[in-house]
Amino acid sequence: MALKPISVSQLNDYIGRVIGTDPLLGAVVVKGEISNLKYHSSGHVYFSIIDAASKINCFLPREYAMQLHYQLDDGMEVTLTGSVNVFKKNGTYSIYVKNVEVSGAGNLAIAFEKMKEKLSKEGLFDQAHKKPIPKFPDKIGVITSNTGAAVRDILKILKSRNNLVDIVVFPVLVQGEAAAADIAGMIDYVNEHFGDIDTLIVGRGGGSADDLWAFNEEIVARSIYASQIPIISAVGHEIDFTISDLVADLRAETPTAAAQLAVPDTMQLKERLLDLKEHLYVQLSNKLMYNRLRIDNLAAEMRSHLHSLIVQRQNELERYRLVLEENNPKKILENGYSVITAENGHVVSSIGDLACGQTLRVSLKDGDAKCLVTEIGSERHE
């Protein structure tokens, strides 16, 4: 008996119903390597998953792609969860992907580099955007798990270094699918409602690369970048490095190091102030001693200078005295000379000043005498 022919569409419809109702194909978990990855402008993601011998087309809808914690790339080893669907138009089938898990440290490194490259191009790591960490904060906020060792270490260090600063802990999830949104949301919340906080410490203790992955997610990076409060990133151990470290205003190697960077050590400050006080005391004492010696020296110099001036003036006065003494008229009189003055007191120095009958005063060394001019004669020449 000959079979009745059916259309191509009918065959594809039938295959689609068979595949769609198969319990195994309705919920498959497939492991393989990503190939021919394409991000569509619609937000959907198209790629193939391959192994050494086969290939299957895959379709990741936008709604599920937005839930991924990392950016996919060719060559990644992934585990897909979804269902097998038939694309009737082309007669092909593909995996309708609902979840993607990246496996292996190498693949996480690829995802990290892809995210790093993307955010770097946007300027989220630029040094010019980073805010200085306050040197003397009044209030510190800590965003981390409230049950881990990290929060205990941070509180211990903060309190031991500075008993004056206020500390507020904002508990969040630090790993798992909901962690990134929780961390990002808390950063936004603290910025909106706690404007008096000077510095935020955001982080967690050590763990595997997968455990720390929340701090590599884009949503956390953007919240750190948008924060008006300076942020210290403190994720894992010294060898761990996350996207949060690159975006934050300051990266601490560990949560303990973050606490040390966040506040000054008050005991060290007190010791420093005491050292400065002692140094200033010594400096001022030396300065006073120097000035006192300098004043003493200046006073001695002034006394010496004044003494020299006095001696100089005394010598000058003695010279003047001798000159006056040499030129004293009485000294001349003692040598036998006399001074003749008219009645008007003018000294007579020439016979032209004389007249017969004129009364003159003659001054000698031991007294005066009045004389009458009886005769006037001219100068005698022998």
Side-chain angles (χ1 to χ4, degrees), residues 139 141 143 168 170 184-198 200 226-229:
K139 197 170 188 178
I143 296 179
V168 183
F170 300 94
M186 187 60 76
I187 294 172
D188 298 341
Y189 175 80
V190 173
N191 272 270
E192 184 176 354
H193 298 285
F194 291 86
D196 59 337
I197 286 182
D198 300 300
L200 267 177
S227 175
Q228 296 301 310
I229 302 172

Side-chain angles (χ1 to χ4, degrees), residues 131-140 197-200 229-232 249 261-264:
K131 299 172 286 298
I133 305 300
K135 292 184 178 180
F136 301 98
D138 294 319
K139 197 170 188 178
I140 299 290
I197 286 182
D198 300 300
T199 305
L200 267 177
I229 302 172
I231 290 180
I232 301 176
D249 300 296
L261 293 170
V263 296

Side-chain angles (χ1 to χ4, degrees), residues 339-341 359-364 366-372:
V339 179
I340 301 173
T341 56
T359 301
L360 301 173
R361 179 179 295 277
V362 179
S363 298
L364 302 171
D366 52 355
D368 297 335
K370 284 187 178 182
C371 300
L372 179 64

Side-chain angles (χ1 to χ4, degrees), residues 100-158:
V100 181
E101 292 184 5
V102 175
S103 57
N107 294 307
L108 290 177
I110 293 173
F112 175 87
E113 291 299 327
K114 294 288 287 187
M115 182 61 67
K116 179 181 175 182
E117 180 182 4
K118 175 183 178 181
L119 298 182
S120 179
K121 288 180 179 179
E122 294 185 32
L124 268 69
F125 307 152
D126 289 354
Q127 193 65 35
H129 182 76
K130 298 185 184 300
K131 299 172 286 298
I133 305 300
K135 292 184 178 180
F136 301 98
D138 294 319
K139 197 170 188 178
I140 299 290
V142 182
I143 296 179
T144 189
S145 170
N146 62 345
T147 59
V151 70
R152 294 194 297 271
D153 292 341
I154 290 172
L155 293 177
K156 179 181 178 181
I157 296 299
L158 288 176

